[in-house]
Amino acid sequence: MGRPIGKSNIKLSSDLMTPEALWAMGRISAYAPSADGQKVVYQVGYYSVKENKSHHVLHIMNADGSGQTLLTKSAKNETDPSWMNDGRIAYLFDGEIWTMNADGSDKKQLSKTDGSVEGYKFSPDGQKVILIKSLPYHGSIAENPSDLPKATGRLVTDLMYRHWDHYVESIQHPFVADVTADGITGGVDILEGEPYECPMEPFGGIEQLDWSIDSKTIAYTCRKKTGVEYSISTDSDIFLYNIGTRTSKNLCKPADYKEPKIDPTKTMKDQSVNAPENLQNNPGYDQNPKFSPDGKYVGWLSMARDGYESDRQRLCIYELATGTKKYITESFDSNVDDFVWSDNKDAMIYFIGVWHATENLYSIDKKGELKQLTDNWADFGSLQMMNNGKQIIAERHSFMASADLYLITPNSKKPQKTDIKQITEENKHIFDQLEKGRVQQRWVKTTDGKDMLYWVILPPHFDENKKYPTLLFCEGGPQSPVSQFWSYRWNFMIMAAHGYVIVAPNRHGLPGFGSEWCEEISGDWTGQCMDDYLSAIDDAATNLPFIDKDRMGAVGASFGGFSVYYLAGHHDKRFKCFIAHDGAFNLEAMYTETEENWFSNWEYEDAYWNKDRSANADKTYKNSPHLFVDKWDTPILCIHGEKDYRINATQGMSAFNAARMKGIEAQLLIYPDENHWVLKPQNGILWQRTYFNWLDKWLKK
């Protein structure tokens, strides 16, 4: 079975962050408070560069952070902890649900499904459990003949034949099973006979389902579409499944709803499915339902429009008795990223959302009265309510701190009195050895006369009398915030530790500055947002005397990689080198290469072959980075994963090939086994070394 990978006791040779130190850090993920609110069980992942794999274990602690104890020590992973009604801890081990005492003793296997459990959630009364299991699926890829068991070919019959990083030959379904004295077996498929997935690909988990307080119904998320219809639509709904009758009711749409006809080659912005009179039918993303503690409401995250994956995510509450829907966060002109119900009589809801480049905590009541409870230069992550209904456990991180757990005592009457207490210090033994950089905020006028915030990250041991090489960071998405994120690849602390100043603009197209600002990027990938990048770096180079304007580079991934490819042909010799990771290079090719076609439809507005394509679409295709390679004159490093089905690896290969054929210094770091991200430890170390070797070569001469 091998040996378990545990917490590292790494001793650093200097006080600067290294790739090895980054990968030695423990990564906190799932966590759950006990019913009495006295204990918290949580999951930590550790990584071994030598063995090139991860290992996940469970810890327990008192709710104030004291008494931290390791519960599991096997060589296999223990994940997804939760509490049972009898005070035991449930968790996943080797595809089954196991239980143990709160001190880690008396481990027992509860489910017997031949190792097929991928997620679970117990009912409030403890009598039933939702099991997530995968089933064979041949809706887009035909099943090969039984007499050709070694055939590797795939006969594709429809779109969505692959998603994110895998071919779609199975889909997940939720099953409802009884919890008996003999354990858990079998179960009833909630979606029996339906060719739809729940949870939804590619990142959905058990958070997309919830039990009613009386344990009689389940709210679940599902996009009931396949093939072409799935590939162009973000229309998922919340369904209520009755355990007794085994029937489902759509909470988002009327029973007689018929979807308007949709042209799959055009944006849905102006199609009838998104007409004002149809928005009451929730045609956009609806997901992650949660029942209120009094059982009267279901709340969920809701986007208004179909085909727009970055639409503003609102909080919808549905009154079960009347069927009334209400969107209570309309006064918050940004995304609600997670929420929890309180247990007080006013049914207060707490949520996290990004505003001005930080992800903080807010409270709101059913009337829509909004209050900001925290104002940290940090990002709060997922939330869980303590069972006293008065405190919240949340994950928090920042540019200079990896994720830890915090206990929050909200004070909606006096928000400034909200108490925040850190209860884990998972990587303290590493951070205590490191010198951190400093973080600053600056604002600059954009070329259209608006105010833009950008972060400036300074190196450790910063000397204001020195001049430093500087990196312009180009964010992906294109509509994901440059808030106080912590990344194990695009990590600002390690970039600063290598002696670089980082300029990170919150350009047009990012949430946290109002919907108008966020939405201006769609149909305008090469206009205002590119001017914003240059406004930020020019302001920094002109007004910050420690920036060496003769040693500047631009870096980014995904849309940030696209930005780098575009800037390579439009930077007027500002930059001495570029790095593009998983970036779009040829937009015509990407239109039919990507798997989620709703993205290109919304962002480009038209298929490239449409003769009546819009002015925005025409501008988009005519400004594709590959059409400006004739103006490239600067060394470039291209990085791509061959299992990236969002932006195919041919995009990175094409950019590299073009640079070399033009005689430009270039490198290509290609990963046959990585997707849009880099997940394996040794690949991660290789990424960091290649990244900094390239920057140092051109910016530290």
Side-chain angles (χ1 to χ4, degrees):
M1 291 180 64
R3 62 181 182 83
I5 300 166
K7 193 168 187 174
S8 169
N9 59 358
I10 186 172
K11 299 296 182 184
L12 305 181
S13 57
S14 75
D15 63 358
L16 300 178
M17 175 76 85
T18 64
E20 291 75 14
L22 199 60
W23 279 89
M25 291 184 175
R27 307 184 190 185
I28 295 176
S29 50
Y31 46 93
S34 61
D36 60 9
Q38 299 301 305
K39 302 282 186 180
V40 178
V41 59
Y42 63 100
Q43 176 183 329
V44 185
Y46 299 108
Y47 289 76
S48 167
V49 174
K50 181 179 179 180
E51 297 183 32
N52 202 33
K53 64 180 182 180
S54 63
H55 181 226
H56 296 268
V57 298
L58 303 181
H59 295 256
I60 195 169
M61 63 181 171
N62 296 320
D64 63 1
S66 64
Q68 293 179 8
T69 304
L70 177 65
L71 293 177
T72 59
K73 300 178 181 179
S74 74
K76 292 187 177 181
N77 294 320
E78 290 92 358
T79 65
D80 301 84
S82 67
W83 292 86
M84 303 188 69
N85 290 350
D86 61 2
R88 286 172 65 84
I89 295 170
Y91 60 98
L92 283 185
F93 176 76
D94 210 17
E96 300 288 0
I97 301 174
W98 284 62
T99 67
M100 61 182 167
N101 290 329
D103 62 2
S105 65
D106 192 30
K107 294 180 174 65
K108 295 179 179 179
Q109 183 176 338
L110 187 60
S111 68
K112 300 176 179 64
T113 66
D114 297 323
S116 61
V117 179
E118 300 170 24
Y120 72 96
K121 182 175 284 188
F122 285 99
S123 60
D125 64 9
Q127 301 301 304
K128 294 185 181 294
V129 63
I130 299 169
L131 304 177
I132 303 300
K133 298 189 285 186
S134 288
L135 303 174
Y137 176 68
H138 299 289
S140 296
I141 301 174
E143 187 174 7
N144 281 343
S146 59
D147 64 334
L148 300 175
K150 296 183 179 180
T152 59
R154 293 181 172 97
L155 178 60
V156 176
T157 60
D158 207 342
L159 296 190
M160 293 313 299
Y161 54 91
R162 59 183 191 176
H163 206 164
W164 185 251
D165 60 2
H166 62 280
Y167 282 86
V168 181
E169 296 173 290
S170 66
I171 56 174
Q172 289 185 324
H173 271 200
F175 292 73
V176 180
D178 292 324
V179 180
T180 70
D182 297 325
I184 300 168
T185 57
V188 175
D189 186 352
I190 290 177
L191 296 175
E192 186 172 3
E194 298 188 60
Y196 314 118
E197 63 193 18
C198 177
M200 297 189 301
E201 294 272 16
F203 308 124
I206 198 65
E207 75 283 351
Q208 293 195 349
L209 303 98
D210 196 35
W211 283 97
S212 64
I213 304 307
D214 62 7
S215 301
K216 294 180 179 180
T217 56
I218 295 170
Y220 69 91
T221 309
C222 192
R223 175 168 39 205
K224 296 200 173 184
K225 296 175 182 286
T226 60
V228 173
E229 289 73 21
Y230 184 118
S231 77
I232 63 170
S233 175
T234 59
D235 185 7
S236 61
D237 293 321
I238 305 301
F239 295 84
L240 204 63
Y241 177 81
N242 186 295
I243 300 295
T245 63
R246 299 186 181 181
T247 57
S248 290
K249 175 186 177 182
N250 191 330
L251 301 187
C252 295
K253 294 177 171 60
D256 59 351
Y257 175 76
K258 292 185 179 180
E259 183 177 82
K261 185 177 180 180
I262 295 171
D263 184 340
T265 71
K266 290 184 175 292
T267 178
M268 291 193 194
K269 291 176 188 176
D270 304 316
Q271 298 197 49
S272 59
V273 68
N274 285 328
E277 64 271 18
N278 285 327
L279 293 183
Q280 62 183 339
N281 299 314
N282 293 63
Y285 265 131
D286 292 278
Q287 57 184 330
N288 299 7
K290 296 181 183 181
F291 285 91
S292 62
D294 61 10
K296 295 180 180 180
Y297 298 89
V298 180
W300 67 79
L301 304 179
S302 178
M303 295 186 185
R305 291 166 286 182
D306 195 0
Y308 188 19
E309 70 173 13
S310 296
D311 206 352
R312 182 167 62 90
Q313 190 159 254
R314 309 159 299 165
L315 180 55
C316 176
I317 59 172
Y318 178 98
E319 189 173 27
L320 291 164
T322 65
T324 303
K325 289 181 295 189
K326 185 177 181 180
Y327 305 93
I328 63 172
T329 53
E330 295 303 271
S331 62
F332 185 69
D333 198 13
S334 190
N335 293 328
V336 175
D337 293 317
D338 194 18
F339 73 98
V340 289
W341 293 87
S342 74
D343 200 20
N344 60 35
K345 63 180 180 180
D346 297 322
M348 186 74 68
I349 296 174
Y350 301 106
F351 72 88
I352 50 173
V354 65
W355 189 254
H356 285 186
T358 59
E359 185 101 9
N360 274 288
L361 181 69
Y362 298 80
S363 69
I364 196 163
D365 60 20
K366 294 196 296 294
K367 297 178 182 178
E369 184 178 348
L370 176 71
K371 294 180 181 179
Q372 183 172 345
L373 303 182
T374 65
D375 189 18
N376 293 185
W377 273 20
D379 282 2
F380 285 94
S382 58
L383 307 175
Q384 289 211 33
M385 202 76 204
M386 295 292 286
N387 288 291
N388 59 17
K390 296 179 174 61
Q391 292 177 303
I392 297 168
I393 292 184
E395 173 264 321
R396 194 185 80 167
H397 52 264
S398 68
F399 289 155
M400 296 295 159
S402 60
D404 270 303
L405 298 182
Y406 287 72
L407 185 65
I408 306 171
T409 305
N411 191 325
S412 294
K413 293 182 179 179
K414 296 181 179 180
Q416 68 274 15
K417 296 291 187 180
T418 292
D419 183 69
I420 307 169
K421 179 183 179 181
Q422 185 172 349
I423 56 174
T424 65
E425 293 181 311
E426 175 59 35
N427 296 308
K428 184 179 186 299
H429 63 297
I430 297 177
F431 282 108
D432 281 351
Q433 302 177 62
L434 297 173
E435 181 73 18
K436 295 182 178 181
R438 300 207 316 265
V439 179
Q440 300 177 347
Q441 271 189 2
R442 285 182 63 85
W443 291 81
V444 63
K445 284 289 183 185
T446 58
T447 57
D448 63 346
K450 298 177 182 177
D451 295 318
M452 177 176 65
L453 182 154
Y454 69 90
W455 297 103
V456 179
I457 299 92
L458 305 177
H461 308 296
F462 175 72
D463 183 347
E464 63 182 12
N465 297 310
K466 291 177 59 177
K467 285 190 175 290
Y468 291 87
T470 300
L471 305 177
L472 172 67
F473 172 75
C474 302
E475 175 63 23
Q479 289 156 300
S480 56
V482 184
S483 54
Q484 283 277 327
F485 63 81
W486 174 269
S487 169
Y488 285 94
R489 186 169 70 258
W490 293 95
N491 184 282
F492 288 165
M493 185 174 178
I494 195 172
M495 293 181 201
H498 277 77
Y500 292 96
V501 172
I502 301 98
V503 172
N506 276 269
R507 52 160 174 78
H508 281 71
L510 302 188
F513 300 88
S515 294
E516 181 182 353
W517 177 277
C518 186
E519 294 193 3
E520 284 181 354
I521 196 169
S522 297
D524 188 30
W525 278 20
T526 57
Q528 187 59 53
C529 65
M530 294 298 165
D531 291 341
D532 290 350
Y533 286 136
L534 299 180
S535 293
I537 196 66
D538 288 349
D539 178 74
T542 301
N543 296 306
L544 300 178
F546 49 82
I547 286 181
D548 189 340
K549 64 181 180 179
D550 294 322
R551 293 189 294 160
M552 300 195 306
V555 302
S558 196
F559 180 85
F562 163 86
S563 302
V564 167
Y565 288 142
Y566 182 80
L567 290 173
H570 298 83
H571 69 109
D572 196 23
K573 299 189 183 298
R574 285 176 175 84
F575 303 108
K576 293 298 185 291
C577 72
F578 295 104
I579 299 178
H581 181 132
D582 288 353
F585 174 67
N586 182 330
L587 295 186
E588 283 194 3
M590 184 182 163
Y591 181 83
T592 49
E593 285 180 350
T594 193
E595 88 285 42
E596 292 181 346
N597 296 99
W598 65 74
F599 175 79
S600 298
N601 272 346
W602 193 276
E603 295 301 315
Y604 307 171
E605 295 193 357
D606 259 307
Y608 61 82
W609 60 80
N610 283 340
K611 302 305 181 186
D612 63 342
R613 68 191 190 191
S614 69
N616 279 342
D618 199 51
K619 175 186 175 182
T620 295
Y621 291 118
K622 288 181 178 179
N623 283 280
S624 177
H626 80 287
L627 298 177
F628 298 92
V629 173
D630 62 308
K631 298 180 180 179
W632 283 19
D633 58 6
T634 304
I636 188 166
L637 167 64
C638 307
I639 307 173
H640 224 108
E642 289 192 79
K643 294 182 73 176
D644 182 356
Y645 302 150
R646 183 63 43 89
I647 301 177
N648 283 217
T650 50
Q651 298 278 316
M653 295 174 183
S654 296
F656 168 75
N657 293 353
R660 290 303 300 129
M661 291 177 73
K662 198 170 183 297
I664 294 171
E665 289 273 3
Q667 290 182 352
L668 172 66
L669 176 58
I670 192 77
Y671 289 106
D673 56 346
E674 297 286 3
N675 57 32
H676 203 56
W677 302 327
V678 177
L679 302 176
K680 296 178 175 62
Q682 290 192 16
N683 283 341
I685 297 287
L686 177 62
W687 191 96
Q688 297 282 0
R689 290 179 183 174
T690 304
Y691 180 91
F692 289 114
N693 285 342
W694 184 256
L695 294 177
D696 292 351
K697 178 178 180 179
W698 301 105
L699 302 183
K700 289 188 176 180
K701 292 181 179 179

